[in-house]
Amino acid sequence: MVDYIVVGLGLAGTSFCETLRRNNKTFVVFNDRSQTSSRVAGGLYNPIILKRFTLSWKADEQLFYATEFYTQLEQFLGVHFNRRLSVLRKFASIEEQNLWYEAADKERLKLFLDTQLVTNDNPHLNVPNKLGKVLHTGKLNTSLLLDTYEQWLVEQGIMHYETFDYNKLKIGSNEVVYGAVTARHIIFCEGFGLTTNPYFKYLPLQGSKGEYLIIESKELKEECLVKFSLFLIPLGNDRYKVGATYNRGDRDNDITLWAEKEIINKLNTLLKCKYTIVGQEAGVRPTVKDRRPLVGKHPQYPNMWVLNGFGSHGIMIGPWASKALFEHIEMQRPLDKEMDINRFLPN
């Protein structure tokens, strides 16, 4: 008997497992690595929607909890996967600069929008106007985080590399049984894979495919994340990740020539130096029609739960939503109604 079975080990599954570990709960994990969005993510944590200069959903609650969560996780794992990096927003016009100032006057935004604009000093960037600087931002190396945490699970003997077979799950009134494992609760953290889960496929998970290019440039020497029509994200060693695209009509993890061309066309409006494409990545984000997470209890089975639908904000939402779900299960604290799956009760 363990306390929890966790299915899926992206940002949602890892955040929930770590929440369980910190609260001295026993658990096992099942994962087949079929979902790649957490691994190919840009890794950016940024509280601002830079298209409109607005705060992303509950970002002021999520950001500081998430950064402390990852700092403690780095210490536990003994690896460094979190880099504090500034995000610079390229302004297309003086009018956009003025909108930035207006937004920075708002109470919930003034903590994150620097009113001291930045003058571009990189000759290899096409930035005729100034740039806006977002505060309290950075980047996670999500692959390093997930690989290191997965290795710890392996060392504990609680990691199972297999595709979860829903037909083998037996659900009782106070427990669930899967093979040789009996648990008090089961949590599904499957990302876009939730669409094949017979218990939760009624939820409106839409999915949005995103692709990145990895480029190399010896000349560029840029240390900040630059937001233009895409993101230019420094990786170190003269490499940068550029993206991401949004494609709601594609539901696989295959890279496409269409995305490569779109990224190159946009990147060429920013860079004034030579670069080489050294890689391309793709994954399907678990997006929801109302742009809110999917968290909560199955309407029929009281020991079955879901933690999903983080879209492109999993780095900030993951730890915060995991804590909320854990406290809901163990302490009966109410879930935020905006993310509670009760808003989508099946007919």
Side-chain angles (χ1 to χ4, degrees):
M1 169 72 81
V2 294
D3 294 313
Y4 290 83
I5 294 172
V6 180
V7 183
L9 197 66
L11 286 167
T14 299
S15 294
F16 194 77
C17 287
E18 178 60 10
T19 301
L20 294 176
R21 185 194 70 80
R22 294 181 188 187
N23 286 278
N24 300 311
K25 299 298 180 180
T26 55
F27 61 96
V28 297
V29 181
F30 292 87
N31 188 48
D32 63 4
R33 285 198 169 194
S34 61
Q35 302 304 311
T36 63
S37 62
S38 291
R39 291 181 175 276
V40 307
L44 172 65
Y45 52 91
N46 161 39
I48 303 299
I49 299 173
L50 289 169
K51 185 176 182 179
R52 303 186 294 273
F53 307 151
T54 56
L55 196 68
S56 62
W57 181 70
K58 296 190 181 295
D60 45 356
E61 295 181 30
Q62 298 162 6
L63 178 63
F64 297 110
Y65 180 78
T67 51
E68 179 62 24
F69 179 92
Y70 293 124
T71 297
Q72 294 177 9
L73 187 51
E74 282 185 314
Q75 294 169 354
F76 170 67
L77 295 174
V79 295
H80 180 59
F81 54 77
N82 183 12
R83 293 172 62 201
R84 297 299 180 98
L85 294 174
S86 295
V87 173
L88 301 179
R89 167 57 151 84
K90 177 184 176 181
F91 295 129
S93 64
I94 298 299
E95 288 75 19
E96 275 200 334
Q97 288 185 189
N98 293 336
L99 290 174
W100 179 275
Y101 282 125
E102 289 179 18
D105 275 340
K106 297 178 180 178
E107 189 62 33
R108 295 182 68 198
L109 292 172
K110 62 177 57 177
L111 181 63
F112 304 111
L113 300 183
D114 196 337
T115 54
Q116 294 294 114
L117 299 185
V118 177
T119 300
N120 174 50
D121 60 1
N122 189 330
H124 303 298
L125 293 180
N126 178 26
V127 182
N129 300 303
K130 291 189 175 182
L131 303 109
K133 183 178 181 180
V134 187
L135 305 175
H136 308 295
T137 57
K139 178 193 178 303
L140 297 190
N141 183 335
T142 54
S143 291
L144 178 59
L145 161 60
L146 296 175
D147 286 344
T148 309
Y149 200 82
E150 186 176 295
Q151 183 56 41
W152 177 79
L153 294 172
V154 170
E155 292 169 359
Q156 305 308 305
I158 55 177
M159 181 73 218
H160 298 267
Y161 291 105
E162 63 180 82
T163 299
F164 192 86
D165 187 344
Y166 307 102
N167 293 320
K168 293 182 180 179
L169 181 64
K170 298 177 181 178
I171 307 166
S173 57
N174 297 307
E175 63 185 24
V176 295
V177 179
Y178 185 76
V181 181
T182 302
R184 293 193 300 117
H185 302 281
I186 184 167
I187 316 289
F188 288 104
C189 310
E190 301 161 291
F192 188 66
L194 191 74
T195 55
T196 63
N197 183 320
Y199 299 103
F200 288 108
K201 65 181 180 181
Y202 73 89
L203 293 171
L205 195 69
Q206 296 175 323
S208 172
K209 184 174 180 177
E211 297 188 55
Y212 286 93
L213 290 184
I214 312 299
I215 66 167
E216 185 172 276
S217 174
K218 302 292 185 183
E219 302 172 55
L220 184 52
K221 304 301 180 186
E222 181 56 53
E223 296 182 355
C224 294
L225 292 118
V226 180
K227 175 66 170 76
F228 56 117
S229 53
L230 299 170
F231 275 102
L232 176 75
I233 305 171
L235 300 177
N237 299 316
D238 295 318
R239 292 198 169 190
Y240 304 83
K241 180 174 279 194
V242 188
T245 59
Y246 282 82
N247 184 349
R248 293 185 175 86
D250 204 346
R251 297 293 190 272
D252 59 46
N253 297 321
D254 299 330
I255 61 174
T256 65
L257 182 60
W258 167 85
E260 178 185 349
K261 290 180 177 178
E262 177 174 304
I263 294 172
I264 290 172
N265 288 339
K266 292 180 177 179
L267 181 61
N268 288 343
T269 68
L270 178 70
L271 297 190
K272 299 192 291 184
C273 60
K274 294 180 180 179
Y275 64 87
T276 304
I277 298 171
V278 296
Q280 186 171 350
E281 300 172 333
V284 181
R285 309 174 189 88
T287 53
V288 186
K289 68 177 184 180
D290 65 359
R291 300 186 179 184
R292 296 292 181 265
L294 300 171
V295 182
K297 181 172 62 177
H298 190 276
Q300 182 178 351
Y301 304 113
N303 44 15
M304 181 182 291
W305 309 83
V306 65
L307 183 67
N308 207 314
F310 297 166
S312 58
H313 298 280
I315 287 171
M316 289 200 310
I317 296 177
W320 178 84
S322 293
K323 178 177 181 287
L325 179 58
F326 177 81
E327 292 179 350
H328 179 65
I329 297 171
E330 297 290 342
M331 306 170 196
Q332 292 73 54
R333 292 182 180 171
L335 286 172
D336 187 299
K337 291 182 179 179
E338 287 189 82
M339 70 177 180
D340 192 330
I341 60 170
N342 280 339
R343 69 191 193 274
F344 298 121
L345 284 174
N347 295 325

